[in-house]
Amino acid sequence: MEKKEMLGTLIKQYRKNMGVSLAKAEEETGVSRSYINRIENFSRDNVTFEVASRLIKYFGIPFSAIEEICGFTSNDEDNIQNLDYLLLNQKYLFANIIADVNLKISLRDFVKELENYCTIESVTRQQENKLLDLADVLRNNLLGM
């Protein structure tokens, strides 16, 4: 997968997970919906730093995910990394499948929700359903659905 495809996939995944329309993303970031659409559909080369920064900030995309797309690596083994960083930046197998960007994002979202689920005192049906919905998203990514 080319870098522009990885960036487009990442932005689209975050936008859809947040339930944000292209129009709302345009309103919030000042980046035109057609520009965002071209990024998401891989028809936009050379996304400017300014545009990428606005989208990354708005969607809350961790810088570590952008580092992976751009091929940056860290040689500092003494740092303890948070799980978010590890899930998005390391190469690994999950269910005997090499994790791609979509699978990494789905797994990260599931683990974050599982962490929330495990750390609250009283769990609601809505929270249980959200966890199950994220498990379904993860499963669909694994099965290529």
Side-chain angles (χ1 to χ4, degrees), residues 22 54 56 60 81 83-84 87 90 101-102 110 112 129-130 132:
L22 287 169
R54 288 184 197 178
I56 290 165
Q81 301 297 332
L83 190 55
D84 188 63
L87 289 172
Q90 301 300 312
V101 171
N102 287 328
F110 178 76
K112 283 177 113 175
N129 288 337
K130 185 174 181 182
L132 290 172

Side-chain angles (χ1 to χ4, degrees), residues 70-126:
C70 296
F72 298 131
T73 58
S74 173
N75 294 326
D76 188 1
E77 296 178 18
D78 294 331
N79 286 337
I80 296 175
Q81 301 297 332
N82 67 30
L83 190 55
D84 188 63
Y85 176 85
L86 295 172
L87 289 172
L88 292 175
N89 288 305
Q90 301 300 312
K91 293 181 182 179
Y92 54 87
L93 293 175
F94 182 75
N96 291 322
I97 297 172
I98 297 172
D100 65 5
V101 171
N102 287 328
L103 183 56
K104 288 178 178 183
I105 292 170
S106 298
L107 182 58
R108 192 276 320 263
D109 290 346
F110 178 76
V111 169
K112 283 177 113 175
E113 190 59 34
L114 181 60
E115 179 182 39
N116 290 337
Y117 180 87
C118 291
T119 58
I120 56 177
E121 199 168 307
S122 178
V123 178
T124 66
R125 284 279 179 222
Q126 183 179 8

Side-chain angles (χ1 to χ4, degrees), residues 33-98:
R33 65 186 88 183
S34 64
Y35 195 116
I36 297 169
N37 186 53
R38 289 193 315 265
I39 293 169
E40 290 180 351
N41 293 302
F42 325 128
S43 62
R44 175 65 193 190
D45 290 326
N46 301 323
V47 176
T48 67
F49 181 75
E50 174 68 27
V51 167
S53 295
R54 288 184 197 178
L55 294 172
I56 290 165
K57 183 177 179 183
Y58 174 67
F59 291 117
I61 299 171
F63 186 73
S64 57
I66 303 306
E67 287 178 320
E68 180 181 354
I69 289 171
C70 296
F72 298 131
T73 58
S74 173
N75 294 326
D76 188 1
E77 296 178 18
D78 294 331
N79 286 337
I80 296 175
Q81 301 297 332
N82 67 30
L83 190 55
D84 188 63
Y85 176 85
L86 295 172
L87 289 172
L88 292 175
N89 288 305
Q90 301 300 312
K91 293 181 182 179
Y92 54 87
L93 293 175
F94 182 75
N96 291 322
I97 297 172
I98 297 172

